[in-house]
Structure formats: C-alpha cells, structure tokens
Amino acid sequence: MNRRLNPIFLVFLVGVWLLLECGCASMHRKNANLSELDRIESDLRADPKQEVDSSQIREESAQFEAEEETFSTMTPEKFGKRVKIFFLTLVNLEPDQAAAVLAFGQGVELFDRGEFEKAADKLWYAYFRWPDSPLQEDAIFLRAESFFFANHYAKAEREYERLLKKYDSTRYLDRVSPRLFAIGQYWDKMDQANRYGALSPNFTDKTRPFVGTYGECLKAYKAIFMHDPNGLWAEHALMAAGNACYLRGQYVEASQYYDDLIRNYPQTKHLLQACELNLSAKLLMYQGPEYDGKPLEDADKLAERLLHQFDTQLGPRKQAIVATRNKIVDAKAERDLGFAKFYETKRLYGAARYYYMLVMNDYPQSVASEYARERYDVIKDYRAEPVDYFAWLKKIFPEK
C-alpha cells in the first residue's frame, strides 16, 4: 500500500532547502573588483578632511572570507543570522560586498562635497549591505562624522556609540572621544540655559535630542570613560559629568563621579577642584545625626587630604576648609552624643556611658564634650541595664 506524503511536511522540506541554498549562496558571493577599492583608497588619501584611514581596506577586504556555515557548526545565533539573510534576500538586501563598496565610494564623494545628510544615507547602506566586514568600521565612523557636521548631534552620538559597542578598540577612538565630549558640553550648556524638562519633546532644534537633553548629555560623557578609560578625554568627561550633576543639585551622583575621578586619575589636573567640590557635595548629602554618617566620614577624610596635599595651593580658601573641618568634627561629636542620649532614654546606661566617654576622648574641644561629661557624672553609678522584672517568666517558659 502506497503512503502519500503529507503536503504540510512537503512544504516544510522545500522551505528548509530554500533557506539553506539561499543562505549559502548569499554568504559565498565572489569578491568585488579590487579596482573599485583602489579608487576609494586614492580618494581617501587625496583629502584628509574625511579623516578615514583606509590604507588597509584593500588588503583586508581581499583576505576577508565568509564564515563557514554547516550543520556541524550551527548555533542558535548563526541560525538566526541565516534566517535574517533569507528574508533580506527576498527583498534584494542580502549582504553584498560589491554593492557595499560602491555605496561607500558614493558616500565619500558626497561627504567631500559637503552633502552630509546624503552621505549618511549612502554610508548606512554601505555598512548594512556588508556587515561584520573591514569596511563596516569605516562606514559607521564616517556616517557619524556626516551627522556631526550636519549638526544632527543626537544621530551622530548614536552612531559614535554604535561604533564603540561594535568595535571596542576601534582605531578611531582618539577621534570619537573629543566628538562625544563636544556634544556633551553643548547639550549641558543648552540645558543649563533653558532647563528643558526630562520629557519635554523637541520638534524644531535638530542639534538636540528628541527628549532628555540632560540625560543624553550624561550618556555622552559616560560613553567616553567607559569605552576609552585610558584616553586623554576620560578624566575630562568624569569631571564634566560630576559638575553637571552638582549644578543640578544631584549631589549623590556628583559625588560618585568625583570619587571615580579622584580614585582612578590621581594625577589629573582636576584633582584639587574635584576634591573641593566632592567635599561640598558630601556635606550637602549629610542629613543629620539621625541618618547615615558615611558622607560625614568621607568629608572629614577629604578635608584632611586637602589640608595636607594642597596646603600651598589653597591660598585664601585654606581658612574656609579649616573652618569646615572644625564643623565636621562638631557634627561627628553631635552624632555620637545622639547615640548616648538614645541609650540613656532607654535606660541602657552602660551603652550610654560608652558613647559619652567616646565623645569626651575623641572630641575634647567640642561643645558636646562638656555636655557628655555632665551626663556621664550623673549616670556613672547607674546599672548598665534596667532590671528585668519578668525574669521569672523565662524560668517558666524557657526559650527554645
């Protein structure tokens, strides 16, 4: 008895065959004519305005081979990539080296003529048609530059970040960092002057992002010191981010940026200013003896460091820092005195005497020391803990 094939199963087999055939065919196209790459390379050398060093494009492109795709090496990522290529093939947008090289050359020509927006469109097509190739890094960078010179700073910032994420050690790192810093500075100053709302949309100014000018400003700064921590601009970006937060009253965030700068870049020229502003930020973070005392401890260390390390550079500000440190000492004494008062009200006189003694020994010149001495003399002979009038219950109902 003959068994007929299920039509659905037959369609599935045909679909899998087409997927594999189209995918393999698209991944093994012949290399484009290298004369086109030679022409692009000569154009790039002719005018340094493009800032794209493509001297190695031809050599790298000649050696670039598509990754071998077989069932033995198949992974979920590779299968997803093959499915994507299959659907791109249906609309004639599959990876194509020749089309990418041609679009790149056209983008470079448009960039040279100052038609930056048209150049950006061509360069997007170039790196989209030949992904994960030697040309893609150059195309992304030049597209970002096109948006930058067209004053589309939000689009430029996105392309610069795309480049940093895909090519973490890109050879354009020394050019991307100052661009991002300039964009961050521009947005920072614009937001300081106009105080844009975090969710206020922007429909008219192409130099600003659609929403969140201040947030995008910090994002640009962060991209610099996260992707280029050893570069020349990382310390400037950290300082600028800290100052941006400080000016807007975000003292916790500002202090974090200043801490990172002081800890990771001890030789920076911003060190003195960062220490002074960080001292101010930590004092503004402190909310009183009832709250966390770490900002007060950190502020005391910063004040001591300023007085010892920058004694000759402080000038007239030295007296102000000395007065500030004296206030910090008084605040720390008041904090310990608060603990002593708390335990005294609970009739835990042993703990209270400990904190009163701590205030007298550690802060002998403070006003709190006099009060601590008076209270200590009053409770020095009191029981350390109050009498437990229900001890008999524990004998009847012992704890397990």
Side-chain angles (χ1 to χ4, degrees):
M1 180 176 178
N2 294 331
R3 299 181 61 182
R4 299 178 61 186
L5 287 175
N6 189 326
I8 297 177
F9 181 70
L10 183 60
V11 171
F12 173 75
L13 288 178
V14 173
V16 171
W17 178 79
L18 286 173
L19 176 63
L20 295 176
E21 289 298 319
C22 295
C24 292
S26 63
M27 294 300 294
H28 295 283
R29 289 181 175 272
K30 294 182 179 180
N31 288 336
N33 187 358
L34 293 182
S35 62
E36 184 67 21
L37 287 173
D38 289 332
R39 186 184 64 80
I40 293 174
E41 183 178 356
S42 63
D43 290 344
L44 290 172
R45 287 181 174 179
D47 188 355
K49 176 184 176 184
Q50 302 148 10
E51 295 187 351
V52 175
D53 181 10
S54 61
S55 59
Q56 299 178 352
I57 288 181
R58 180 172 58 82
E59 180 181 353
E60 293 177 355
S61 300
Q63 298 175 357
F64 182 76
E65 297 179 357
E67 183 180 4
E68 181 182 0
E69 302 260 352
T70 62
F71 282 111
S72 62
T73 61
M74 186 63 66
T75 63
E77 292 77 10
K78 292 180 180 179
F79 182 77
K81 181 178 179 181
R82 182 168 291 189
V83 171
K84 178 181 177 182
I85 292 174
F86 170 72
F87 285 105
L88 289 174
T89 304
L90 297 179
V91 292
N92 294 324
L93 288 176
E94 72 278 8
D96 188 328
Q97 177 180 347
V101 171
L102 179 61
F104 184 80
Q106 293 171 346
V108 169
E109 291 178 359
L110 291 168
F111 187 96
D112 287 342
R113 294 202 299 263
E115 300 179 31
F116 300 117
E117 296 186 18
K118 293 181 180 179
D121 293 337
K122 288 294 182 181
L123 292 164
W124 172 84
Y125 188 78
Y127 74 69
F128 181 80
R129 291 303 299 272
W130 197 17
D132 303 320
S133 69
L135 178 140
Q136 189 179 41
E137 180 179 1
D138 301 275
I140 295 175
F141 172 72
L142 199 56
R143 175 173 161 83
E145 292 284 274
S146 299
F147 282 132
F148 183 84
F149 289 114
N151 297 329
H152 287 291
Y153 297 140
K155 294 181 179 180
E157 189 260 348
R158 284 196 295 269
E159 291 300 319
Y160 286 130
E161 286 203 16
R162 185 196 305 274
L163 179 66
L164 293 176
K165 290 177 181 178
K166 191 167 184 63
Y167 301 94
D168 192 47
S169 300
T170 176
R171 61 180 179 275
Y172 299 116
L173 199 57
D174 60 336
R175 302 178 187 174
V176 172
S177 294
R179 292 280 195 255
L180 287 173
F181 187 80
I183 292 173
Q185 286 277 282
Y186 178 77
W187 286 343
D188 190 5
K189 301 301 182 184
M190 288 288 289
D191 186 74
Q192 288 181 35
N194 299 281
R195 293 294 181 180
Y196 301 113
L199 299 178
S200 300
N202 165 42
F203 296 103
T204 58
D205 189 354
K206 67 179 183 179
T207 66
R208 293 195 297 110
F210 180 65
V211 292
T213 302
Y214 169 59
E216 292 296 322
C217 151
L218 290 181
K219 185 179 176 183
Y221 290 145
K222 289 178 182 178
I224 298 173
F225 54 76
M226 288 182 65
H227 293 279
D228 190 18
N230 298 320
L232 298 175
W233 293 90
E235 60 188 74
H236 303 310
L238 271 171
M239 188 67 187
N243 291 344
C245 293
Y246 185 92
L247 290 172
R248 291 164 178 83
Q250 299 175 347
Y251 302 117
V252 175
E253 293 81 359
S255 180
Q256 291 173 351
Y257 288 124
Y258 293 139
D259 283 338
D260 288 343
L261 178 64
I262 295 168
R263 179 173 57 254
N264 298 323
Y265 302 94
Q267 303 300 323
T268 177
K269 67 178 183 179
H270 302 297
L271 187 60
L272 174 56
Q273 185 183 15
C275 288
E276 289 186 273
L277 289 172
N278 200 13
L279 172 61
S280 175
K282 290 186 181 298
L283 290 176
L284 291 168
M285 288 165 55
Y286 182 64
Q287 301 180 39
E290 297 84 7
Y291 297 89
D292 183 20
K294 190 175 186 309
L296 200 62
E297 295 292 337
D298 293 341
D300 190 24
K301 294 177 183 178
L302 278 169
E304 182 179 5
R305 178 174 184 174
L306 283 166
L307 293 173
H308 284 80
Q309 185 173 351
F310 303 101
D311 182 43
T312 59
Q313 301 177 39
L314 291 174
R317 301 194 305 278
K318 180 178 179 180
Q319 295 301 321
I321 294 176
V322 170
T324 299
R325 194 179 184 203
N326 291 335
K327 292 180 180 179
I328 292 173
V329 171
D330 290 339
K332 291 172 68 175
E334 192 66 30
R335 182 178 179 80
D336 288 342
L337 188 63
F339 286 127
K341 292 179 179 179
F342 170 78
Y343 287 119
E344 186 177 356
T345 58
K346 298 296 183 181
R347 294 188 296 174
L348 298 172
Y349 298 113
R353 285 195 294 268
Y354 169 79
Y355 276 101
Y356 283 137
M357 184 66 69
L358 193 66
V359 173
M360 288 187 289
N361 292 335
D362 292 352
Y363 315 103
Q365 304 300 324
S366 65
V367 177
S369 177
E370 298 179 5
Y371 179 85
R373 186 173 293 103
E374 293 176 3
R375 295 306 307 166
Y376 182 86
D377 292 338
V378 172
I379 66 172
K380 64 180 179 180
D381 296 326
Y382 289 7
R383 292 175 58 94
E385 295 181 0
V387 179
D388 187 1
Y389 295 103
F390 298 95
W392 57 276
L393 283 175
K394 295 180 181 179
K395 296 180 181 179
I396 301 174
F397 304 103
E399 296 181 2
K400 293 183 180 179

